[in-house]
Amino acid sequence: MTLLLAQISDLHLDGGERATRRAARVMDHLRALPRPVDAVLVTGDIADHGAETEYEEAARLLVAPFPVLTCPGNHDARPAYRKALLGEPADDGPVNRVHYIAGTALLMCDSTVPGRDEGRLDDATLDWIDATLTGLPRGMRALIAFHQPPVEVHHALPDSAMLEQPEGLAALLEAHPQVVAVLTGHAHTAASSTFAGRPLVVAPAVTWTLRMPWEGDAPADRDQPPGLAFHVLDDTGRLTTHYRVVL
């Protein structure tokens, strides 16, 4: 069963017109596709300051005729995220959710450490990932998504706040071969690598694009259009990613 996903990341909604316009442009593009995606993954930094009003705006912007699945980033605040975006009681615990679409388990994981930019999959989240993957029906494939990449992308800014202690996740991937790939955001650049023998795909950002060291000194290129990724997971379990910008 072929699965078509879109991935967006790092909306940084702050109540300002620029962030709202860029996020709306991306969602309008996705809603207008001739063939609808099976789901959209939003891999963190949905809000810029973690305010309830920012999540209320996100809830309006992310309305779509297909599932929109989210996980938090380092700019997000768990209590407000839960209350205003998920419609749940405010709580400080990790926000981990699994969704089942087209024969695939999509694990949206919380890699945030409140008050810090660096990420970490804490023991509770690692245990949840392990239990979720262990409980999957035989033959069901899985994708794991969270915010901070577990490997360097070769820019000092995101590499100073990447996922810490990735060994726990690597051990889980070794134990669970049904995980096809790891999907992240945070770096504000479309990138691909590998982690623990799996493809690692980093989504571009909606708000601004990272200028790599060989492209210039100022890291934030605010003139680039919003970016997104399309992931095709085919019947053989192969993941193919296409990157696009939305003009």
mmCIF file with all atom_site columns, all heavy atoms in Angstrom, residues 127-138:
data_model
loop_
_atom_site.group_PDB
_atom_site.id
_atom_site.type_symbol
_atom_site.label_atom_id
_atom_site.label_alt_id
_atom_site.label_comp_id
_atom_site.label_asym_id
_atom_site.label_entity_id
_atom_site.label_seq_id
_atom_site.pdbx_PDB_ins_code
_atom_site.Cartn_x
_atom_site.Cartn_y
_atom_site.Cartn_z
_atom_site.occupancy
_atom_site.B_iso_or_equiv
_atom_site.pdbx_formal_charge
_atom_site.auth_seq_id
_atom_site.auth_comp_id
_atom_site.auth_asym_id
_atom_site.auth_atom_id
_atom_site.pdbx_PDB_model_num
ATOM 1  N N   . ASP A 1 127 ? 10.575 4.413   26.219 1.00 0.00 ? 127 ASP A N   1
ATOM 2  C CA  . ASP A 1 127 ? 9.749  3.254   26.615 1.00 0.00 ? 127 ASP A CA  1
ATOM 3  C C   . ASP A 1 127 ? 8.453  3.221   25.801 1.00 0.00 ? 127 ASP A C   1
ATOM 4  O O   . ASP A 1 127 ? 7.986  2.138   25.406 1.00 0.00 ? 127 ASP A O   1
ATOM 5  C CB  . ASP A 1 127 ? 9.428  3.315   28.104 1.00 0.00 ? 127 ASP A CB  1
ATOM 6  C CG  . ASP A 1 127 ? 10.639 3.028   28.984 1.00 0.00 ? 127 ASP A CG  1
ATOM 7  O OD1 . ASP A 1 127 ? 11.645 2.516   28.465 1.00 0.00 ? 127 ASP A OD1 1
ATOM 8  O OD2 . ASP A 1 127 ? 10.562 3.327   30.195 1.00 0.00 ? 127 ASP A OD2 1
ATOM 9  N N   . TRP A 1 128 ? 7.872  4.398   25.569 1.00 0.00 ? 128 TRP A N   1
ATOM 10 C CA  . TRP A 1 128 ? 6.640  4.462   24.780 1.00 0.00 ? 128 TRP A CA  1
ATOM 11 C C   . TRP A 1 128 ? 6.892  4.022   23.342 1.00 0.00 ? 128 TRP A C   1
ATOM 12 O O   . TRP A 1 128 ? 6.096  3.261   22.766 1.00 0.00 ? 128 TRP A O   1
ATOM 13 C CB  . TRP A 1 128 ? 6.079  5.880   24.808 1.00 0.00 ? 128 TRP A CB  1
ATOM 14 C CG  . TRP A 1 128 ? 4.894  6.071   23.923 1.00 0.00 ? 128 TRP A CG  1
ATOM 15 C CD1 . TRP A 1 128 ? 3.591  5.764   24.196 1.00 0.00 ? 128 TRP A CD1 1
ATOM 16 C CD2 . TRP A 1 128 ? 4.902  6.598   22.584 1.00 0.00 ? 128 TRP A CD2 1
ATOM 17 N NE1 . TRP A 1 128 ? 2.794  6.059   23.117 1.00 0.00 ? 128 TRP A NE1 1
ATOM 18 C CE2 . TRP A 1 128 ? 3.563  6.579   22.120 1.00 0.00 ? 128 TRP A CE2 1
ATOM 19 C CE3 . TRP A 1 128 ? 5.910  7.094   21.747 1.00 0.00 ? 128 TRP A CE3 1
ATOM 20 C CZ2 . TRP A 1 128 ? 3.211  7.027   20.844 1.00 0.00 ? 128 TRP A CZ2 1
ATOM 21 C CZ3 . TRP A 1 128 ? 5.562  7.535   20.472 1.00 0.00 ? 128 TRP A CZ3 1
ATOM 22 C CH2 . TRP A 1 128 ? 4.227  7.503   20.038 1.00 0.00 ? 128 TRP A CH2 1
ATOM 23 N N   . ILE A 1 129 ? 8.000  4.476   22.755 1.00 0.00 ? 129 ILE A N   1
ATOM 24 C CA  . ILE A 1 129 ? 8.339  4.057   21.389 1.00 0.00 ? 129 ILE A CA  1
ATOM 25 C C   . ILE A 1 129 ? 8.510  2.545   21.334 1.00 0.00 ? 129 ILE A C   1
ATOM 26 O O   . ILE A 1 129 ? 7.979  1.864   20.440 1.00 0.00 ? 129 ILE A O   1
ATOM 27 C CB  . ILE A 1 129 ? 9.623  4.765   20.908 1.00 0.00 ? 129 ILE A CB  1
ATOM 28 C CG1 . ILE A 1 129 ? 9.381  6.269   20.761 1.00 0.00 ? 129 ILE A CG1 1
ATOM 29 C CG2 . ILE A 1 129 ? 10.098 4.174   19.579 1.00 0.00 ? 129 ILE A CG2 1
ATOM 30 C CD1 . ILE A 1 129 ? 10.653 7.074   20.478 1.00 0.00 ? 129 ILE A CD1 1
ATOM 31 N N   . ASP A 1 130 ? 9.252  1.992   22.290 1.00 0.00 ? 130 ASP A N   1
ATOM 32 C CA  . ASP A 1 130 ? 9.504  0.550   22.318 1.00 0.00 ? 130 ASP A CA  1
ATOM 33 C C   . ASP A 1 130 ? 8.198  -0.226  22.445 1.00 0.00 ? 130 ASP A C   1
ATOM 34 O O   . ASP A 1 130 ? 7.948  -1.188  21.697 1.00 0.00 ? 130 ASP A O   1
ATOM 35 C CB  . ASP A 1 130 ? 10.440 0.236   23.480 1.00 0.00 ? 130 ASP A CB  1
ATOM 36 C CG  . ASP A 1 130 ? 10.905 -1.209  23.485 1.00 0.00 ? 130 ASP A CG  1
ATOM 37 O OD1 . ASP A 1 130 ? 11.019 -1.820  22.398 1.00 0.00 ? 130 ASP A OD1 1
ATOM 38 O OD2 . ASP A 1 130 ? 11.161 -1.750  24.576 1.00 0.00 ? 130 ASP A OD2 1
ATOM 39 N N   . ALA A 1 131 ? 7.338  0.198   23.367 1.00 0.00 ? 131 ALA A N   1
ATOM 40 C CA  . ALA A 1 131 ? 6.069  -0.512  23.571 1.00 0.00 ? 131 ALA A CA  1
ATOM 41 C C   . ALA A 1 131 ? 5.168  -0.394  22.353 1.00 0.00 ? 131 ALA A C   1
ATOM 42 O O   . ALA A 1 131 ? 4.491  -1.363  21.966 1.00 0.00 ? 131 ALA A O   1
ATOM 43 C CB  . ALA A 1 131 ? 5.368  0.034   24.812 1.00 0.00 ? 131 ALA A CB  1
ATOM 44 N N   . THR A 1 132 ? 5.152  0.783   21.734 1.00 0.00 ? 132 THR A N   1
ATOM 45 C CA  . THR A 1 132 ? 4.303  0.988   20.556 1.00 0.00 ? 132 THR A CA  1
ATOM 46 C C   . THR A 1 132 ? 4.760  0.116   19.408 1.00 0.00 ? 132 THR A C   1
ATOM 47 O O   . THR A 1 132 ? 3.946  -0.547  18.742 1.00 0.00 ? 132 THR A O   1
ATOM 48 C CB  . THR A 1 132 ? 4.319  2.465   20.143 1.00 0.00 ? 132 THR A CB  1
ATOM 49 O OG1 . THR A 1 132 ? 3.833  3.261   21.240 1.00 0.00 ? 132 THR A OG1 1
ATOM 50 C CG2 . THR A 1 132 ? 3.429  2.695   18.933 1.00 0.00 ? 132 THR A CG2 1
ATOM 51 N N   . LEU A 1 133 ? 6.064  0.082   19.149 1.00 0.00 ? 133 LEU A N   1
ATOM 52 C CA  . LEU A 1 133 ? 6.582  -0.731  18.050 1.00 0.00 ? 133 LEU A CA  1
ATOM 53 C C   . LEU A 1 133 ? 6.424  -2.216  18.333 1.00 0.00 ? 133 LEU A C   1
ATOM 54 O O   . LEU A 1 133 ? 6.095  -3.003  17.436 1.00 0.00 ? 133 LEU A O   1
ATOM 55 C CB  . LEU A 1 133 ? 8.058  -0.400  17.803 1.00 0.00 ? 133 LEU A CB  1
ATOM 56 C CG  . LEU A 1 133 ? 8.348  1.021   17.303 1.00 0.00 ? 133 LEU A CG  1
ATOM 57 C CD1 . LEU A 1 133 ? 9.849  1.269   17.242 1.00 0.00 ? 133 LEU A CD1 1
ATOM 58 C CD2 . LEU A 1 133 ? 7.719  1.258   15.935 1.00 0.00 ? 133 LEU A CD2 1
ATOM 59 N N   . THR A 1 134 ? 6.609  -2.609  19.583 1.00 0.00 ? 134 THR A N   1
ATOM 60 C CA  . THR A 1 134 ? 6.455  -4.016  19.945 1.00 0.00 ? 134 THR A CA  1
ATOM 61 C C   . THR A 1 134 ? 5.011  -4.482  19.742 1.00 0.00 ? 134 THR A C   1
ATOM 62 O O   . THR A 1 134 ? 4.766  -5.636  19.367 1.00 0.00 ? 134 THR A O   1
ATOM 63 C CB  . THR A 1 134 ? 6.870  -4.231  21.411 1.00 0.00 ? 134 THR A CB  1
ATOM 64 O OG1 . THR A 1 134 ? 8.253  -3.871  21.560 1.00 0.00 ? 134 THR A OG1 1
ATOM 65 C CG2 . THR A 1 134 ? 6.680  -5.673  21.837 1.00 0.00 ? 134 THR A CG2 1
ATOM 66 N N   . GLY A 1 135 ? 4.067  -3.580  19.961 1.00 0.00 ? 135 GLY A N   1
ATOM 67 C CA  . GLY A 1 135 ? 2.657  -3.935  19.849 1.00 0.00 ? 135 GLY A CA  1
ATOM 68 C C   . GLY A 1 135 ? 2.080  -3.872  18.448 1.00 0.00 ? 135 GLY A C   1
ATOM 69 O O   . GLY A 1 135 ? 0.898  -4.183  18.254 1.00 0.00 ? 135 GLY A O   1
ATOM 70 N N   . LEU A 1 136 ? 2.883  -3.480  17.457 1.00 0.00 ? 136 LEU A N   1
ATOM 71 C CA  . LEU A 1 136 ? 2.354  -3.385  16.094 1.00 0.00 ? 136 LEU A CA  1
ATOM 72 C C   . LEU A 1 136 ? 2.068  -4.766  15.515 1.00 0.00 ? 136 LEU A C   1
ATOM 73 O O   . LEU A 1 136 ? 2.788  -5.732  15.813 1.00 0.00 ? 136 LEU A O   1
ATOM 74 C CB  . LEU A 1 136 ? 3.354  -2.662  15.188 1.00 0.00 ? 136 LEU A CB  1
ATOM 75 C CG  . LEU A 1 136 ? 3.626  -1.194  15.491 1.00 0.00 ? 136 LEU A CG  1
ATOM 76 C CD1 . LEU A 1 136 ? 4.614  -0.622  14.459 1.00 0.00 ? 136 LEU A CD1 1
ATOM 77 C CD2 . LEU A 1 136 ? 2.343  -0.382  15.502 1.00 0.00 ? 136 LEU A CD2 1
ATOM 78 N N   . PRO A 1 137 ? 1.051  -4.870  14.678 1.00 0.00 ? 137 PRO A N   1
ATOM 79 C CA  . PRO A 1 137 ? 0.812  -6.139  13.989 1.00 0.00 ? 137 PRO A CA  1
ATOM 80 C C   . PRO A 1 137 ? 2.022  -6.543  13.156 1.00 0.00 ? 137 PRO A C   1
ATOM 81 O O   . PRO A 1 137 ? 2.768  -5.695  12.645 1.00 0.00 ? 137 PRO A O   1
ATOM 82 C CB  . PRO A 1 137 ? -0.394 -5.827  13.089 1.00 0.00 ? 137 PRO A CB  1
ATOM 83 C CG  . PRO A 1 137 ? -1.050 -4.645  13.711 1.00 0.00 ? 137 PRO A CG  1
ATOM 84 C CD  . PRO A 1 137 ? 0.055  -3.846  14.331 1.00 0.00 ? 137 PRO A CD  1
ATOM 85 N N   . ARG A 1 138 ? 2.229  -7.809  13.019 1.00 0.00 ? 138 ARG A N   1
ATOM 86 C CA  . ARG A 1 138 ? 3.349  -8.331  12.242 1.00 0.00 ? 138 ARG A CA  1
ATOM 87 C C   . ARG A 1 138 ? 3.288  -7.779  10.810 1.00 0.00 ? 138 ARG A C   1
ATOM 88 O O   . ARG A 1 138 ? 2.246  -7.819  10.165 1.00 0.00 ? 138 ARG A O   1
ATOM 89 C CB  . ARG A 1 138 ? 3.310  -9.859  12.216 1.00 0.00 ? 138 ARG A CB  1
ATOM 90 C CG  . ARG A 1 138 ? 4.516  -10.503 11.546 1.00 0.00 ? 138 ARG A CG  1
ATOM 91 C CD  . ARG A 1 138 ? 4.424  -12.011 11.644 1.00 0.00 ? 138 ARG A CD  1
ATOM 92 N NE  . ARG A 1 138 ? 5.587  -12.659 11.065 1.00 0.00 ? 138 ARG A NE  1
ATOM 93 C CZ  . ARG A 1 138 ? 6.713  -12.912 11.729 1.00 0.00 ? 138 ARG A CZ  1
ATOM 94 N NH1 . ARG A 1 138 ? 6.782  -12.576 13.012 1.00 0.00 ? 138 ARG A NH1 1
ATOM 95 N NH2 . ARG A 1 138 ? 7.732  -13.503 11.149 1.00 0.00 ? 138 ARG A NH2 1
#
